[in-house]
Amino acid sequence: MLAEELSRRLPEAVLFDPEYVGYLLRHWVPAPTGDFQDLPSWRELVIATALSLRKHHAGTLIAPMTLINDNYLAEILDGLRVGGEEVLHVFLDLDPAVLRQRITDRVLVPNDPERDQQGRDFCLRNLDRGIAAAARVPPGTLLLRSDKLTPDELADEVLTRLQGLSG
């Protein structure tokens, strides 16, 4: 919801969801662990796609993605920075019970109940890892409580931080 609100407020921005890179890769390469983030190709392609989108299409790129593996997060953030990008990393933290309920209530694949449930199950299996990641965010990360702020308020916080970076 934050990404959509930022996209609404920044109409010139491109909303790039790295999960779609993973969905594409699934057609060619199985992820042995079941998580496409474990594929080196996914991480490389996310960086390359983000850099290409910025170069050719976007002054601002919004990329909603949960990266709970510290090494993968560092690899992607470092790759973007080496590519000349200034990155504002935002981590949305919340109460575990609220997160569990949001995952349970969410519809990921509306026309395919089986895949929809598989997606929810995957998220629930990784819930504890995601909660623990909040304690390990890299320096400079904007850490926000999404159970305490509305999407509008979250967007205000992100835009305020962005203004500070460019100002």
Side-chain angles (χ1 to χ4, degrees), residues 60-80:
T60 301
L61 193 65
I62 302 164
M65 187 73 217
T66 301
L67 289 164
I68 54 179
N69 180 307
D70 297 344
N71 293 329
Y72 299 170
L73 175 61
E75 182 179 343
I76 289 173
L77 294 179
D78 290 348
L80 294 171

Side-chain angles (χ1 to χ4, degrees), residues 17-33:
D17 188 341
E19 285 199 8
Y20 287 104
V21 174
Y23 301 152
L24 184 67
L25 275 174
R26 269 192 203 151
H27 291 287
W28 303 306
V29 183
T33 64

Side-chain angles (χ1 to χ4, degrees), residues 118-158:
Q118 288 171 352
R120 272 194 301 281
D121 291 344
F122 177 84
C123 292
L124 289 169
R125 279 193 310 273
N126 287 285
L127 184 98
D128 292 336
R129 291 177 60 217
I131 292 164
R136 303 184 316 268
V137 296
T141 297
L142 178 58
L143 184 63
L144 299 172
R145 289 293 301 236
S146 67
D147 56 345
K148 306 286 184 199
L149 300 170
T150 66
D152 192 53
E153 292 168 327
L154 292 166
D156 288 343
E157 294 289 330
V158 170

Side-chain angles (χ1 to χ4, degrees), residues 5-23:
E5 180 60 23
L6 288 170
S7 184
R8 186 186 69 73
R9 291 192 195 188
L10 301 168
E12 78 287 351
V14 168
L15 181 56
F16 164 54
D17 188 341
E19 285 199 8
Y20 287 104
V21 174
Y23 301 152

Side-chain angles (χ1 to χ4, degrees), residues 86-139:
E86 185 172 15
V87 177
L88 172 59
H89 177 240
V90 178
F91 188 98
L92 299 179
D93 193 16
L94 69 163
D95 180 86
V98 173
L99 178 57
R100 181 176 302 283
Q101 191 62 53
R102 286 183 183 177
I103 292 169
T104 301
D105 293 345
R106 171 167 71 181
V107 175
L108 300 168
V109 188
N111 298 323
D112 189 340
E114 184 178 335
R115 278 189 53 223
D116 189 53
Q117 188 59 48
Q118 288 171 352
R120 272 194 301 281
D121 291 344
F122 177 84
C123 292
L124 289 169
R125 279 193 310 273
N126 287 285
L127 184 98
D128 292 336
R129 291 177 60 217
I131 292 164
R136 303 184 316 268
V137 296

Side-chain angles (χ1 to χ4, degrees), residues 48-59 61 83 85:
T49 303
L51 292 173
S52 181
L53 287 170
R54 280 278 297 122
K55 179 179 179 182
H56 299 291
H57 305 287
L61 193 65
E85 296 302 323

